Amino acid sequence: MQELGRLEDLPEAYRTALTGQNLVPLWPSLRAVLPPGKPTPRTQPICWSYEGLRPLLLQAGELTPIEKAERRVLVLANPGHGLDKMQASATIYLGMQLLLPGEWAPAHRHTPNAVRMIVEGEGAYTTVEGEKCPMSRGDLILTPTGLWHEHGHDGDKPVVWLDVLDLPLVYFMEASYVTEGKAQTVTAEANDRAYQRGGVVPAPVFNRAGEAFPMLRYPWVDVRATLVALAQSQPDLDAVQVAYVNPETGADCQKILGFSALMLRPGERLQLPARSCAMVFHQIEGGAGVSLEGHAFSLAEADTCCIPGYTPVTLSNRSKDQAAFIFIADDAPLQKKLGVYEVRN
Ligand code: GTQ
């Protein structure tokens, strides 16, 4: 590839004249913005151990009352982007949120989409547009763009969950803002009960079709049972994986980030091809190895890691006799909509 002229090659007076008119020559920077063959990601492969962060999160509970935090969260920040940018990847934000018994994180709504993956504790709930969604380990609760949400806790031990938002992207677009509200009136218990089985949805008499987000809570007991049944019924399947989708359209459950759950059979080693999307892995149950060029992580329960796009990755179950379960988030839905999604075999 042809080497291009550098900024220093240009006369000082010319550069000053350009700057004076807010002009910049492209050629000294062309290779940086269009690198050959594959992007140069800022996103570094990074792992956050739950054992490491949990005491610090509990300490935040002592140091900062909920009224002074609104959302008591430690952000899982990727140093490749700079810690102050609060990015796990270019598009994905991750945070571990703590709610103590009796606390309340007030109602608001915002333009970024969020999901919560429940990590620890019982008795807390998120109310989304009046729908009360109880939280148990492994449940996925959606709080999509523009929907009112607040968190409460009637239990007696700390509750922790992983927030996954498309905040970096929405912020980059200069479209990120919040509206504060007052406590919602609960009008429904989690409507996942309306979606007990795949293939049947509520009939027109109380039709929810047409809602962008008909299902807000995906209970882990159901997702886990689906994975186990899938593994049993289809032993030859390459990857025992299910996607979290809108039950009425089959589309990704949110528009920007995609979510799935993966089961690694005892002793299984799964090679994933390089895909253009960045990925987040959160260990729900068991232990897994995550290896990619130059990096290897060992995930224990509740650990979280992220890897950049365009990287083949191998997942391996560290146990020979127990299944391992992983929650995955990526930005494939966004990339597909934009036409830049790739799989490289
Ligand atoms: O729970 O609504 O981690 O608004 C970041 C922003 C959580 C939330 C975060 C938020 C929330």
Side-chain angles (χ1 to χ4, degrees), residues 94-287:
L94 299 174
M96 280 285 180
Q97 183 159 173
L98 169 71
L99 200 63
L100 295 171
E103 286 186 337
W104 184 65
H108 69 191
R109 60 181 187 177
H110 40 67
T111 44
N113 296 272
V115 303
R116 345 241 148 231
M117 162 53 50
I118 317 311
V119 176
E120 174 182 332
E122 290 287 337
Y125 56 87
T126 297
T127 303
V128 189
E129 289 285 315
E131 187 172 317
K132 191 171 177 179
C133 301
M135 295 174 154
S136 287
R137 173 61 179 146
D139 292 351
L140 187 74
I141 296 171
L142 311 188
T143 56
T145 180
L147 300 198
W148 290 107
H149 57 280
E150 64 197 78
H151 315 296
H153 188 0
D154 298 333
D156 54 13
K157 294 205 180 62
V159 164
V160 177
W161 63 83
L162 175 67
D163 292 314
V164 186
L165 282 80
D166 50 25
L167 178 64
L169 177 83
V170 179
Y171 181 76
F172 178 75
M173 294 193 300
E174 300 189 339
S176 178
Y177 72 95
V178 71
T179 310
E180 295 191 350
K182 49 184 186 353
Q184 299 167 74
T185 308
V186 173
T187 53
E189 299 292 320
N191 244 309
D192 53 68
R193 280 170 220 179
Y195 299 97
Q196 284 283 354
R197 293 282 181 280
V200 280
V201 300
V205 71
F206 81 115
N207 194 10
R208 290 169 59 89
E211 275 191 40
F213 307 101
M215 186 164 162
L216 298 172
R217 175 173 176 263
Y218 298 74
W220 175 238
V221 282
D222 296 342
V223 177
R224 190 185 193 285
T226 304
L227 287 166
V228 170
L230 190 57
Q232 273 167 1
S233 69
Q234 299 196 39
D236 298 334
L237 209 56
D238 287 340
V240 184
Q241 186 173 19
V242 291
Y244 292 89
V245 299
N246 176 326
E248 296 189 352
T249 64
D252 295 307
C253 68
Q254 288 190 347
K255 292 187 178 133
I256 295 176
L257 301 184
F259 307 97
S260 63
L262 174 80
M263 172 177 154
L264 292 172
R265 291 164 280 216
E268 181 173 354
R269 228 176 103 84
L270 180 66
Q271 284 179 293
L272 304 179
R275 301 192 309 151
S276 50
C277 54
M279 283 202 271
V280 169
F281 301 108
H282 171 79
Q283 190 79 39
I284 300 181
E285 258 182 69

